[in-house]
Amino acid sequence: MCGITSYLGYRDAYPIVINGLQRLEYRGYDSAGIVLVDDEYNVNLYKTKGKVSDLKEIAEKNNTSGCMGLGHTRWATHGIPNNENSHPHTSNSGNLVIVHNGIIENYDTIKKELLTRGYTFKSETDTEVLVNLIEEVKKQNNCKLGKAVQIALTNVVGAYAIAIFDVTKKDEIIVARLGSPIAIGIGEDNKEFFVASDASPFIEYTKDAVYLDDEELAIIKLGRDIRIRKINDDSVVETNVQELKLNLEQIEKGGYEHFMLKEIHEQPKAILDTYRGRLLADKGIIKMGSVDNNIAKFLNANRIIIVACGTSWHAGLVAEYLFEDLARIPVEVEYASEFRYRNPVINKNDIVIAISQSGETADTLAAIKLAKSKGAFVFGVCNVVGSSIARETHSGAYTHAGPEIGVASTKAFTTQITILTLIALKLGNLKGELSNSVFHHYLQELNLIPAKVENLLKINSEIENIAAIYKDAPNCLYLGRGYNFPVALEGALKLKEISYIHAEGYPAAEMKHGPIALIDEFMPVVVIATKKGHYDKVVSNIQEIKSRNGKIIAIVTKGDITVKEIADHIIEIPETEEAFSPLLTTIPLQLLSYHIAVMRGCNVDQPRNLAKSVTVE
């Protein structure tokens, strides 16, 4: 997932663009570049394989003046990571400069045609093909850049967010998107503009932003309102300016060594913010306008289909237990990446819940569009206000977790579960599956979860000590049952994401159907063994592991005696209802993964080969 940032205005562009690239490092990248146009129309282009810090070292030895600039962090798709393939890219004439997030699928066909017309190429990228296609269209049609971009994009297949300018016109940038996010920040009186993949690079300069929808093109010109048009039919789109809710303090580390650790510790507040105004425990009420306004659809649903990817998919698995247990509504949980390529059976009385932290996950967006085309009601759960999923779904709920910068999701997971728990409880009560007394008890207990998470975080040093013992383990197995089976999957994902240790999550009962063959004295096994649920069954699983010399790290309810006598290590969590236990059991697993990764010298916030949000296939 590439990062784009740009500035056009009266300030020095370099510090704004380079700082913006640093803010976007969480998206994952392998190379970086920047282009600046100075007052004499000189074009200064610097790009390199490696980090933004490497780019800074190169750029700051040279001319960085100018009030117009484009920056980019690249995640290699077409062409290996190297200086030539890094963005920005220029057209053959040198007049057009572009940055691009996405994939142009028919670039090879276009490239062959351009080669016959005398164009040459320095890189292996689809992006260099695109900028030269735009140049050729501009030349053949004798048109302005905005029109040339529009015509060119009607001839490409794929996904893109682009920013492009003509170096001979320092007061204009053209921006367009299809499938990849792009935000435009607007300065006072249109005297300056900012363009970025998300709003984080420009939050200290403006609170006014415009988010382009798919197949939209914006012409940004100093001193003038932004003009937005549909790419395919040239129709005018009303400019919808939104007020940003982010602040600079939210995206800084706040004294923590890593964003991931900060975000783990933010979970008590994040969960509280998620249910603030929605959970009125003392009154026995769950108030959610997006559900209340569509309550007949929820109550009459034949089934719920949940689509998501990665950690969000694990949150969906927890929701399957919640909806079926508390509200008695059948649920299917689908990988969005598979759902979109099947021919799924969807009926008009089905509800599709799409879950995504960023609200920009390409496969989930495609699954939403497929579900809508078949007549289903689509409900979104996401964190980023104004994101594509928030706009594409019929209705939905924000998690209000605040910015999550670390690539490995932590507070996104717990706040997604919180939203889904609120919905399941509300439906269970309205359907008569939960009596008022039971319902009120659940609300009171859910209201205590932030404080219980806060207390759980105090055992961080204990978990760090366990991490030191197993930091060099080559493999790890995670086991859970019922509500905590998805937590086992999520725990294993966290470990392999950031520490690069091979880990697998399994339902505890499935251990005997294969994974038990792996267990020996070198295999640490993390077992979630809370008292409520299938405790006795899990204890039996632990005894089977111990008899084969496996090393056991057990997550248990505070005061547990039985597992304590068997396990090599125990991590105690506060007692809660089984339905809410994933909100607690996941916390020590996040901390365990974090400490192991740090001890192994891994880049916790930016794991290799990973991006925060997968906005292209």
Side-chain angles (χ1 to χ4, degrees):
M1 182 179 69
C2 308
I4 290 172
T5 184
S6 177
Y7 178 74
L8 174 65
Y10 57 86
R11 306 177 201 252
D12 187 3
Y14 174 74
I16 296 172
V17 175
I18 206 75
N19 289 339
L21 291 181
Q22 290 175 314
R23 298 253 178 90
L24 294 173
E25 284 187 295
Y26 74 90
R27 298 170 71 87
Y29 68 104
D30 48 48
S31 54
I34 189 171
V35 64
L36 302 155
V37 183
D38 66 20
D39 292 340
E40 304 300 321
Y41 290 88
N42 295 310
V43 179
N44 298 300
L45 176 60
Y46 312 112
K47 52 186 185 175
T48 183
K49 176 185 175 182
K51 295 296 184 181
V52 174
S53 57
D54 300 318
L55 176 64
K56 283 185 68 176
E57 187 175 342
I58 294 169
E60 291 173 8
K61 293 176 182 176
N62 296 282
N63 182 7
T64 59
S65 63
C67 296
M68 183 179 195
L70 285 178
H72 190 269
T73 50
R74 176 180 187 252
W75 195 244
T77 52
H78 297 87
I80 63 172
N82 61 24
N83 293 359
E84 291 76 17
N85 290 330
S86 302
H87 298 208
H89 287 286
T90 58
S91 63
N92 275 193
S93 70
N95 286 342
L96 303 186
V97 184
I98 194 172
V99 290
H100 167 222
N101 176 15
I103 295 175
I104 305 302
E105 295 176 12
N106 61 335
Y107 85 102
D108 192 49
T109 301
I110 297 169
K111 184 175 184 177
K112 289 174 181 176
E113 175 62 26
L114 292 174
L115 286 168
T116 67
R117 300 190 184 197
Y119 284 83
T120 59
F121 297 90
K122 300 175 184 177
S123 76
E124 303 168 87
T125 67
D126 53 343
T127 304
E128 190 183 10
V129 173
L130 178 58
V131 72
N132 281 298
L133 172 63
I134 293 169
E135 179 159 274
E136 176 66 10
V137 169
K138 188 173 185 293
K139 181 171 64 177
Q140 292 294 330
N141 291 273
N142 191 27
C143 59
K144 294 181 179 180
L145 179 58
K147 188 65 177 178
V149 172
Q150 181 184 357
I151 295 170
L153 291 178
T154 60
N155 288 282
V156 303
V157 177
Y160 52 78
I162 65 167
I164 183 171
F165 65 77
D166 186 329
V167 299
T168 66
K169 295 182 178 179
K170 295 192 299 176
D171 64 345
E172 183 181 77
I173 294 178
I174 310 300
V175 178
R177 76 158 282 182
L178 174 61
S180 295
I182 203 81
I184 304 167
I186 306 170
E188 186 178 356
D189 297 328
N190 297 326
K191 291 179 181 177
E192 60 181 346
F193 293 94
F194 310 81
V195 177
S197 296
D198 63 44
S200 62
F202 55 77
I203 57 173
E204 67 262 54
Y205 300 104
T206 180
K207 292 292 185 182
D208 294 331
V210 172
Y211 294 89
L212 291 190
D213 284 324
D214 277 349
E215 299 181 342
E216 288 184 354
L217 177 147
I219 299 172
I220 303 168
K221 196 174 182 70
L222 285 179
R224 196 172 68 185
D225 290 338
I226 297 172
R227 292 184 297 168
I228 303 176
R229 308 189 79 86
K230 295 296 278 186
I231 291 169
N232 288 331
D233 62 16
D234 202 34
S235 59
V236 175
V237 177
E238 183 180 353
T239 303
N240 179 23
V241 180
Q242 300 185 31
E243 182 181 354
L244 296 175
K245 303 300 182 183
L246 287 173
N247 61 61
L248 188 58
E249 183 180 310
Q250 286 180 301
I251 64 168
E252 300 298 345
K253 290 181 184 175
Y256 289 93
E257 186 178 355
H258 298 95
F259 280 113
M260 182 180 179
L261 185 60
K262 172 178 180 272
E263 289 155 7
I264 290 171
H265 281 268
E266 286 176 340
Q267 286 176 110
K269 182 179 183 300
I271 293 169
L272 181 61
D273 287 344
T274 297
Y275 71 59
R276 190 191 306 277
R278 292 164 167 160
L279 173 61
L280 308 176
D282 291 341
K283 297 180 179 179
I285 296 172
I286 292 175
K287 185 178 180 181
M288 296 184 70
S290 55
V291 177
D292 295 334
N293 295 337
N294 298 284
I295 197 63
K297 291 184 174 65
F298 279 98
L299 294 178
N300 296 318
N302 289 336
R303 61 175 174 164
I304 292 173
I305 303 170
I306 297 174
V307 292
C309 299
T311 289
S312 297
W313 185 75
H314 295 155
L317 290 177
V318 175
E320 181 176 17
Y321 285 92
L322 288 165
F323 284 116
E324 292 192 345
D325 183 17
L326 303 178
R328 308 306 296 155
I329 300 174
V331 177
E332 295 178 18
V333 184
E334 301 269 4
Y335 284 113
S337 55
E338 288 297 315
F339 183 81
R340 64 179 294 193
Y341 288 115
R342 290 189 6 236
N343 184 21
V345 179
I346 305 174
N347 300 306
K348 65 179 181 179
N349 288 331
D350 291 334
I351 289 179
V352 173
I353 297 179
I355 311 173
S356 167
Q357 188 283 137
S358 67
E360 301 293 348
T361 309
D363 286 321
T364 307
L365 275 166
I368 289 168
K369 292 174 182 177
L370 174 61
K372 287 173 69 177
S373 72
K374 293 181 177 292
F377 174 74
V378 183
F379 188 91
V381 175
C382 66
N383 186 36
V384 180
V385 176
S387 59
S388 297
I389 285 176
R391 298 194 302 272
E392 189 70 35
T393 49
H394 293 114
S395 186
Y398 290 117
T399 57
H400 301 305
E404 189 179 66
I405 306 300
V407 166
S409 282
T410 51
K411 62 179 180 176
F413 181 65
T414 49
T415 55
Q416 287 167 353
I417 291 174
T418 301
I419 284 285
L420 295 161
T421 300
L422 289 172
I423 299 172
L425 286 170
K426 185 178 183 70
L427 296 179
N429 182 237
L430 290 174
K431 286 169 64 69
E433 302 294 342
L434 298 176
S435 67
N436 285 337
S437 61
V438 171
F439 179 65
H440 291 178
H441 168 73
Y442 272 126
L443 299 197
Q444 293 292 339
E445 182 57 36
L446 184 57
N447 201 37
L448 298 174
I449 290 294
K452 292 184 178 183
V453 174
E454 190 75 59
N455 286 330
L456 193 50
L457 290 167
K458 293 176 182 177
I459 65 169
N460 179 47
S461 59
E462 296 176 30
I463 297 170
E464 189 173 5
N465 292 336
I466 296 171
I469 298 170
Y470 297 104
K471 65 182 177 64
D472 296 318
N475 302 285
C476 191
L477 190 63
Y478 287 71
L479 301 176
R481 280 181 181 256
Y483 280 95
N484 284 299
F485 158 53
V487 176
L489 294 178
E490 175 62 11
L493 176 62
K494 284 291 146 297
L495 188 66
K496 54 191 166 190
E497 275 184 316
I498 62 172
S499 74
Y500 316 140
I501 293 174
H502 174 253
E504 297 294 338
Y506 272 90
E510 289 296 303
M511 181 185 65
K512 290 185 286 188
H513 294 273
I516 198 168
L518 299 172
I519 294 173
D520 58 21
E521 66 271 25
F522 304 110
M523 171 70 84
V525 183
V526 179
V527 185
I528 304 169
T530 54
K531 276 187 178 177
K532 294 186 178 178
H534 311 281
Y535 179 74
D536 291 339
K537 298 291 186 182
V538 176
V539 170
S540 296
N541 294 138
I542 291 173
Q543 290 168 330
E544 289 172 329
I545 297 165
K546 196 63 181 175
S547 68
R548 290 160 177 81
N549 298 318
K551 301 298 182 183
I552 299 166
I553 304 166
I555 312 297
V556 300
T557 305
K558 190 173 182 63
D560 183 285
I561 296 173
T562 305
V563 175
K564 186 175 183 179
E565 293 177 350
I566 310 171
D568 296 274
H569 315 276
I570 64 162
I571 300 171
E572 293 185 324
I573 68 163
E575 186 164 352
T576 189
E577 290 297 325
E578 184 188 8
F580 305 153
S581 62
L583 293 168
L584 301 180
T585 54
T586 193
I587 305 297
L589 303 188
Q590 293 171 353
L591 288 168
L592 183 66
S593 297
Y594 169 79
H595 288 301
I596 288 175
V598 170
M599 291 172 187
R600 290 168 65 89
C602 301
N603 189 336
V604 172
D605 287 334
Q606 299 169 39
R608 68 188 183 203
N609 304 331
L610 293 178
K612 182 62 182 171
S613 175
V614 183
T615 58
V616 295
E617 288 188 75

